[in-house]
C-alpha cells in the first residue's frame, strides 16, 4: 500500500495542531493519582472534573448559536481558534501554580482554583470541537486523519509524561498506625493522616509546565498553517459548503484504496477529483444519522463515563494497573488513528461492529467499577490483565470509529463536520452528568481505601 499523496510538512503541522485540542484536559485526568492524595475530594474528584468539562459546553453552544446568526461564520473560525489556544496555554500555566490551593465553601474544603481552571480549559477544548473540525474541512480528507492522530497524541503525550513521572507507588496504610484526634488542614493541600504514598519523580507543577510548552508548540503550528503559502496547496479541490442528500464514495485501484470522493448536491452539478470510479458506495441520510448516533454513544462512554469511573475500576488492583490502563489506552488512540488512515472503514455495518465491540468492553469496565473495592479476581494477575486489556481495547475501538466517521463526514462539508462536533459534545455531556449523579448521590460506586479494604 502506497503512502497517500500528502505533504509531509503540512501533515506534521496538522498533527501538532491537533495535539493541542484536548491536551490540557487529558493532562488533568492523568494527574488524578496525585490529585486525589492531595485534594479534599479524593476519588470523587474525577466525577467533578468530568461534569465540569461537559458543562463547559457553553462554549460550543455559543459558537453554534453565533453560526446561525451570521451569514459568514467562517471568517470568525480562525480568530476563535487563536483564542482557544491562548486560553489553553495560559490556563495550563495557572494550573501549574494553583492546582493544590483550596478554599472553604459551605463548611468544607474545595479545590476551587482547580475547578475554575478546569472549566475554562474545558470550554476552550469543547469549543475547539465545533471550530477546528470545520477549519480542517478546508484541507483534503487525508489531513483529517492527521488531525485525529494529533488528537490522539493529545492523550498520549500527557500519559507518557505521567508514566515517566510515576505516582511513587500506591497509597499504603502503615502497620500499627495510630489515628490522632486531629484534623490536618493546610491552605494548599488536604492529606488523610492514616494513608501514605511515596513521592513521584517530579511534581504536578513541573508536569503542567511541560504541558504548557506543548501547547505553545501547537499554537505555533496553527499559526504556520495560516501564514505559510505552501499549505494552501493542500486545500480541497472541491469546496462543499452544504450537506449532501446523498454521498457517493468511489475507489480507484491506482489510488490503492485511498478513496476519491464525489459529493452530489441537491440541484447542483457533481464533481470528481480525478479518476473514474470502479466501485461505488452510497451514504444516505439514514446512514449519516446512524453514524452520528454511534459518535454520541462512543463519546458518551469514552469522554463522559469511563474517565470518571476508571479509578474505581483500576485502583483496587494497584497503582501499576491504573497507570498501565491509562497510558496504554492513550497509546492505542493514535495507533488506531493511523490504522484508520491505511484501512479506513467505509461501511456503516463495519463501523457499527467496531462500536459494539468497544461498548461491550466498556460495559465490563463499568461492571468492575460497580464491584469496587472488591472487583473480580482481586489479587490475581488475570484480573489485573483483564482490566488493562479492557481499557486498551475500548480505547482502540472507539478511536478507530471516531476517526473513520470524521473522515467520512468530511465529504459532507462544513455543516456535516459541525454536526459531528456537536454530537461529540452532546454525548459526552449526557454521559458525564449520569456518572456524576451515580458516583456522588448513590452508593453504587465505593471509594477504595487501603486502610479499610
Amino acid at each position: 500500500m502506497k503512502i497517500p499523496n500528502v505533504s509531509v510538512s503540512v501533515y506534521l503541522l496538522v498533527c501538532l495542531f491537533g495535539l493541542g485540542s484536548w491536551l490540557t484536559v487529558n493532562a488533568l485526568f492523568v494527574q488524578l493519582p496525585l490529585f486525589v492524595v492531595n485534594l479534599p475530594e479524593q476519588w470523587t474528584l474525577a466525577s467533578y472534573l468530568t461534569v465540569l468539562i461537559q458543562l463547559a459546553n457553553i462554549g460550543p453552544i455559543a459558537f453554534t448559536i453565533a453560526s446561525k446568526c451570521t451569514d459568514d461564520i467562517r471568517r470568525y473560525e480562525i480568530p476563535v481558534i487563536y483564542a482557544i489556544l491562548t486560553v489553553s496555554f495560559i490556563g495550563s500555566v495557572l494550573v501549574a501554580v494553583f492546582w493544590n490551593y483550596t478554599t472553604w465553601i459551605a463548611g468544607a474544603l474545595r479545590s476551587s482554583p482547580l475547578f475554575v481552571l478546569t472549566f475554562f480549559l474545558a470550554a476552550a477544548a469543547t469549543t475547539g470541537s465545533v471550530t477546528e473540525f470545520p477549519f480542517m474541512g478546508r484541507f483534503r480528507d487525508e489531513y483529517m486523519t492527521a488531525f485525529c492522530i494529533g488528537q490522539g497524541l493529545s492523550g498520549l503525550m500527557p500519559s507518557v509524561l505521567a508514566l515517566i513521572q510515576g505516582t511513587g507507588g500506591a497509597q499504603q496504610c502503615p502497620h500499627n498506625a495510630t489515628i490522632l484526634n486531629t484534623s490536618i488542614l493546610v491552605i494548599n493541600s488536604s492529606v488523610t493522616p492514616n494513608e501514605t504514598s511515596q513521592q513521584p519523580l517530579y511534581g504536578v507543577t513541573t508536569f503542567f509546565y511541560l504541558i504548557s510548552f506543548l501547547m505553545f508548540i501547537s499554537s505555533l503550528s496553527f499559526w504556520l498553517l495560516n501564514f505559510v503559502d505552501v499549505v494552501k496547496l493542500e486545500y480541497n479541490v472541491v469546496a462543499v459548503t452544504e450537506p449532501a442528500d446523498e454521498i457517493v464514495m468511489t475507489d480507484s485501484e491506482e489510488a490503492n484504496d485511498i478513496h476519491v470522493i464525489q459529493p452530489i448536491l441537491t440541484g447542483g452539478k457533481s464533481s470528481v477529483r480525478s479518476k473514474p470510479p470502479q466501485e461505488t458506495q452510497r451514504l444516505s441520510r439514514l446512514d449519516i444519522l446512524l453514524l452520528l448516533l454511534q459518535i454520541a454513544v462512543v463519546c458518551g462512554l469514552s469522554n463522559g463515563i469511563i474517565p470518571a469511573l476508571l479509578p474505581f475500576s483500576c485502583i483496587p488492583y494497584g497503582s501499576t494497573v491504573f497507570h498501565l490502563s491509562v497510558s496504554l489506552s492513550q497509546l492505542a488512540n493514535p495507533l488506531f488513528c493511523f490504522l484508520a488512515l491505511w484501512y479506513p472503514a467505509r461501511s456503516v455495518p463495519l463501523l457499527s461492529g467496531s462500536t459494539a465491540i468497544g461498548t461491550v468492553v466498556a460495559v465490563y469496565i463499568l461492571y468492575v467499577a460497580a464491584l469496587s473495592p472488591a472487583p473480580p479476581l482481586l489479587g490475581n494477575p488475570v484480573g489485573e490483565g483483564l482490566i488493562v486489556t479492557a481499557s486498551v481495547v475500548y480505547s482502540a475501538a472507539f478511536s478507530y470509529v471516531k476517526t473513520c466517521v470524521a473522515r467520512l463526514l468530511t465529504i459532507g462539508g462544513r455543516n456535516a463536520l459541525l454536526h459531528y462536533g456537536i454530537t461529540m459534545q452532546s454525548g459526552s455531556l449526557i454521559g458525564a452528568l449520569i456518572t456524576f449523579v451515580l458516583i456522588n448521590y448513590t452508593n453504587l460506586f465505593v471509594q477504595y481505601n487501603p486502610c479499610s479494604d
Side-chain angles (χ1 to χ4, degrees), residues 296-314:
V297 172
V298 165
C299 292
L301 288 168
S302 62
N303 297 340
I305 297 176
I306 300 299
L309 293 179
L310 204 57
F312 294 92
S313 299
C314 298

Side-chain angles (χ1 to χ4, degrees), residues 241-279:
T241 57
E242 296 298 332
D245 284 336
E246 187 174 63
I247 297 173
V248 177
M249 295 169 44
T250 61
D251 289 341
S252 170
E253 288 182 356
E254 186 171 347
N256 244 338
D257 290 334
I258 303 302
H259 61 272
V260 183
I261 300 162
Q262 177 182 2
I264 297 181
L265 304 181
T266 304
K269 297 180 180 180
S270 61
S271 323
V272 240
R273 186 176 293 170
S274 56
K275 306 283 184 186
Q278 294 186 0
E279 237 178 86

